[in-house]
Amino acid sequence: MICDKLKFLHIHMYETNADKDKINAHLPLQIRVVAVIRVTKKFNSKDYCVARSYEYLLPTYALSPTFEQTRKDFRITSDQIERVNRLLSLYVGTHNFHNFTSGKSPHEASAKRHIKEFCCGKKFEAEGIEFIVLRVKGQSFMLHQIRKMIGLVIAIVRNIADQETLCKSFEKDKADIPMAPGLGLMLENVFYDGYNKRYADDGMHSALDWDQYSDETDAFKNDHIYSHIITTEIINGTVIQWLGTIPLHSFAKKTAADQDNSTTDLEKVQEKAASDEEGKTVELTNPSTSKVANSEVK
């Protein structure tokens, strides 16, 4: 997963008029300060956060209905986007997501998570490949949850699994769900609605809101995040290789009595691959040390 920007860094400022440009002058281009805002003395960026949104940048050929159509020239139709949105909307609300993480019992209260929004965003072309942005907003997420939610929808769209599998995944039985690559996942926003309601109009503090900085943050995302994901996909074929592993999943359920919540062998392989991919992500900041895989999209 890539974090597109460090949302809030809580530090003690000894200069009342901190200049973000002076701070940025000492930072690499991949790390930017877009604003310096005064907060309350006891402000905690994690504890005050009431929701988070993530984006997942995906080549649209991953949403092609058959493997034969998984090509660079695939272009998703409006009807296909509508179907993807219908499937993503099934996640909205409060559900038991124990099947979308590792080592979580369906009986644990923390397995229940609330999803506020999940839908397709903009699509665009880059280097001859069409990409689409999936955006999800929720109160909080568990390890691998978003990647597995997207992985299951892709499996359904590609006719490897059915919609019933998704609907039943919230039940207590264990399901075998594919986990999409971590490459396209990025933190998009954090929300401080409660803090803003209490302090934004007290005359001393400002609202913690990213809307007014959207032009700057979008430019940063396009220049440093999207471009990296696109280049890595073209060079390494991360998604195209992962698509070939989806049929290896059984999507079958174990009974609650048989379930031990252990990580499957396939999940271990995928987690190792994800770890290796994260290593490549770091290396790619220095092109001279990056490794090129043999496979690429046809």
Side-chain angles (χ1 to χ4, degrees):
M1 185 192 76
I2 302 173
C3 178
D4 65 332
K5 45 192 171 286
L6 181 61
K7 290 297 181 181
F8 288 98
L9 175 64
H10 190 197
I11 57 177
H12 294 286
M13 303 297 294
Y14 296 99
E15 295 184 24
T16 56
N17 297 315
D19 188 333
K20 69 170 186 176
D21 294 329
K22 289 182 179 179
I23 298 174
N24 284 329
H26 297 278
L27 297 173
L29 293 177
Q30 294 82 1
I31 302 176
R32 296 286 91 183
V33 174
V34 299
V36 178
I37 303 174
R38 181 182 180 181
V39 295
T40 60
K41 186 176 181 179
K42 295 184 178 181
F43 174 78
N44 183 296
S45 59
K46 177 179 178 294
D47 294 342
Y48 276 89
C49 181
V50 298
R52 301 154 179 83
S53 64
Y54 286 80
E55 287 186 356
Y56 193 95
L57 185 60
L58 183 71
T60 58
Y61 55 67
L63 299 171
S64 59
T66 64
F67 196 79
E68 289 71 22
Q69 292 180 275
T70 310
R71 306 182 307 181
K72 288 177 62 174
D73 60 355
F74 177 82
R75 296 295 180 267
I76 195 167
T77 67
S78 58
D79 288 343
Q80 289 169 329
I81 292 177
E82 185 178 344
R83 185 190 180 201
V84 173
N85 278 331
R86 285 199 303 269
L87 291 170
L88 294 176
S89 70
L90 297 176
Y91 291 122
V92 175
T94 302
H95 301 286
N96 191 322
F97 285 98
H98 74 97
N99 274 314
F100 295 86
T101 188
S102 299
K104 183 72 67 174
S105 166
H107 304 290
E108 294 181 50
S110 60
K112 290 187 177 181
R113 301 292 164 124
H114 182 73
I115 305 300
K116 296 175 178 288
E117 304 169 10
F118 207 166
C119 62
C120 294
K122 65 179 181 180
K123 62 176 182 175
F124 60 91
E125 290 187 25
E127 303 296 333
I129 300 175
E130 184 181 63
F131 288 83
I132 193 167
V133 176
L134 307 182
R135 184 178 184 273
V136 59
K137 178 180 179 181
Q139 288 181 338
S140 61
F141 298 91
M142 295 179 288
L143 179 67
H144 304 323
Q145 180 182 342
I146 297 173
R147 292 169 60 188
K148 287 200 170 192
M149 292 163 71
I150 292 173
L152 181 53
V153 165
I154 291 174
I156 296 172
V157 171
R158 293 178 69 82
N159 299 308
I160 300 172
D162 55 29
Q163 183 172 318
E164 184 181 10
T165 302
L166 193 159
C167 295
K168 290 188 175 182
S169 65
F170 304 130
E171 299 177 358
K172 293 182 179 180
D173 291 337
K174 183 71 174 176
D176 179 21
I177 295 176
M179 181 169 63
L183 175 65
L185 183 63
M186 69 197 86
L187 175 65
E188 190 254 346
N189 213 338
V190 286
F191 299 87
Y192 293 91
D193 299 349
Y195 174 90
N196 291 341
K197 184 177 181 180
R198 182 173 180 180
Y199 295 109
D201 297 322
D202 66 359
M204 294 184 295
H205 304 95
S206 301
L208 302 179
D209 191 337
W210 284 99
D211 290 345
Q212 59 184 310
Y213 310 110
S214 59
D215 290 344
E216 187 173 353
T217 56
D218 286 348
F220 176 88
K221 185 162 51 180
N222 290 329
D223 293 342
H224 297 285
I225 307 301
Y226 284 0
S227 60
H228 168 75
I229 295 172
I230 292 166
T231 299
T232 305
E233 176 60 28
I234 292 172
I235 293 175
N236 295 339
T238 304
V239 173
I240 197 72
Q241 293 186 58
W242 170 75
L243 291 174
T245 70
I246 297 179
L248 300 178
H249 291 267
S250 66
F251 301 94
K253 292 179 171 57
K254 299 176 183 179
T255 64
D258 296 334
Q259 163 177 300
D260 60 3
N261 287 304
S262 61
T263 303
T264 65
D265 291 339
L266 183 57
E267 284 178 323
K268 292 177 181 178
V269 171
Q270 290 181 324
E271 289 176 359
K272 182 179 185 303
S275 177
D276 293 342
E277 189 61 44
E278 289 175 359
K280 293 178 184 177
T281 296
V282 174
E283 291 175 347
L284 282 173
T285 60
N286 182 353
S288 63
T289 62
S290 62
K291 300 177 182 178
V292 179
N294 291 326
S295 65
E296 51 183 68
V297 183
K298 302 300 182 182

